[in-house]
Each structure stands twice: as structure tokens, then as C-alpha cells.
Amino acid sequence: MARKTLEDLFIYSLSDIYSAEKQLTRALGKLSRASTNPELAQAFETHLQETHEQVARIDQVVEKCGLKLKRIKCVAMEGLVEEGEELVDEIEKGPVLDAGLIGAAQKVEHYEIAAYGTLCAFAKQLGKDDAVPLLKATLDEEKATDQKLTQFAEKVGNPQARQA
Ligand SMILES: [Fe+2]
Ligand SMILES: [Fe+2]
């Protein structure tokens, strides 16, 4: 796909994150099932529900702005998901795997935060006023999820919490 204009780049970037979110709708359930800590498992389930809504928000952006998404695969997310799956294959279920899953999930959130931050900036520059609040809503959800994961990381890293 030729990416000559900011509009082209916006459509490409939106198509890329659309692919990323779709991949996550399949991966988050696996992360939840691999978690030992029930709160962590629940957090992955909650974010799975949010991710479905995020996919729907991209559909709304497409509709409101009259865009056509490209059929591309987000290879960055493919790699991040693959690394998460490697952890599940290699580490037995327990607090160490939980710590690994939190780290893998935070890499995903940081990728998404970067992607939606960029999309918000592009949408503003392109005057796509209908798209900005939708993209911002998802950006805020990704940030909140990242913060929640940071809190889990601190708990999992705390031996007293681990024994409890
Ligand atoms: Fe997402
Ligand atoms: Fe996310």
C-alpha cells in the first residue's frame, strides 16, 4: 500500500491496530486461563470485554469517517502474542508464570498506547473530529489497563502477597 499522505498513514495505522485488537481477542482468553491469581485472570477477562468494545469503536471510526480499512496483519502484535505463548509453554502455572504474563501483557498495552496516541494525533491533524473521542476513549482504557497491571506486578513481586 502506498503511504504518501497523512491520510494514507492514518488508514494504514488504523488497519494495523484493528488487526492487533482482533489478535488480542483470541490471545487474552489464553492469558486468563494460564493465570493462577484469580484477580489477574479476571483482569484479563475484563480487558477481553474491553477489547471487543475497542474493535467496535474502530468500526465506528471507519463508518463515521467513511474509510476503508486495509487487510493487513499487525506483525508486531503477532510477535508479542507469540512471546506470551512461549511463556505459557515453558513455565509451569504459578506465581512465576503470572509475573511473566503481566510483563507480556504490559508490552502489549505499551504498544497499543503508542499506536492510539499516534492515531489521536493524526486524527486531530486531519480534522477527523468524530474519530478523536473514540480513539481517545480506547487510549484511556489501554492506559488504565497498564496501570492495573503495574499494581499486579508489585503484588506478585511481594513475597507476603505471594504466600497469601
Ligand atoms: Fe486494545
Ligand atoms: Fe489493551
Side-chain angles (χ1 to χ4, degrees):
M1 178 207 177
R3 278 170 270 174
K4 289 185 186 153
T5 65
L6 191 63
E7 172 87 18
D8 294 338
L9 196 55
F10 177 75
I11 294 169
Y12 184 92
S13 306
L14 194 63
S15 305
D16 184 78
I17 197 70
Y18 194 70
S19 160
E21 298 288 17
K22 286 269 173 115
Q23 292 181 55
L24 288 169
T25 60
R26 294 186 289 271
L28 281 163
K30 285 184 207 164
L31 294 187
S32 174
R33 286 190 295 277
S35 304
T36 300
N37 182 319
E39 285 174 66
L40 180 62
Q42 185 53 52
F44 285 134
E45 287 296 329
T46 301
H47 198 49
L48 174 58
Q49 294 311 314
E50 285 173 346
T51 299
H52 285 298
E53 287 163 28
Q54 293 171 354
V55 169
R57 261 186 223 125
I58 297 174
D59 288 330
Q60 285 179 54
V61 169
V62 166
E63 206 190 299
K64 288 193 174 184
C65 301
L67 307 172
K68 193 170 185 308
L69 292 186
K70 306 289 166 191
R71 291 175 68 88
I72 54 171
K73 180 161 204 177
C74 176
V75 288
M77 190 55 72
E78 188 177 31
L80 290 173
V81 167
E82 201 178 302
E83 287 189 3
E85 285 170 348
E86 276 174 19
L87 293 174
V88 176
D89 290 343
E90 286 170 20
I91 306 173
E92 68 180 89
K93 244 185 146 178
V96 175
L97 178 57
D98 280 2
L101 295 176
I102 292 164
Q106 285 197 282
K107 286 181 187 172
V108 166
E109 295 314 314
H110 284 229
Y111 180 84
E112 292 182 297
I113 289 165
Y116 281 104
T118 301
L119 281 164
C120 283
F122 286 174
K124 275 183 206 156
Q125 286 169 49
L126 291 164
K128 295 186 186 299
D129 296 341
D130 289 343
V132 175
L134 291 162
L135 295 168
K136 178 76 171 47
T138 297
L139 176 62
D140 290 344
E141 265 174 15
E142 309 295 21
K143 284 182 182 170
T145 301
D146 180 52
Q147 282 169 7
K148 207 197 271 183
L149 287 165
T150 295
Q151 286 166 7
F152 276 120
E154 283 160 3
K155 263 198 261 175
V156 168
N158 171 345
Q160 274 175 330
R162 223 163 31 214
Q163 280 159 13

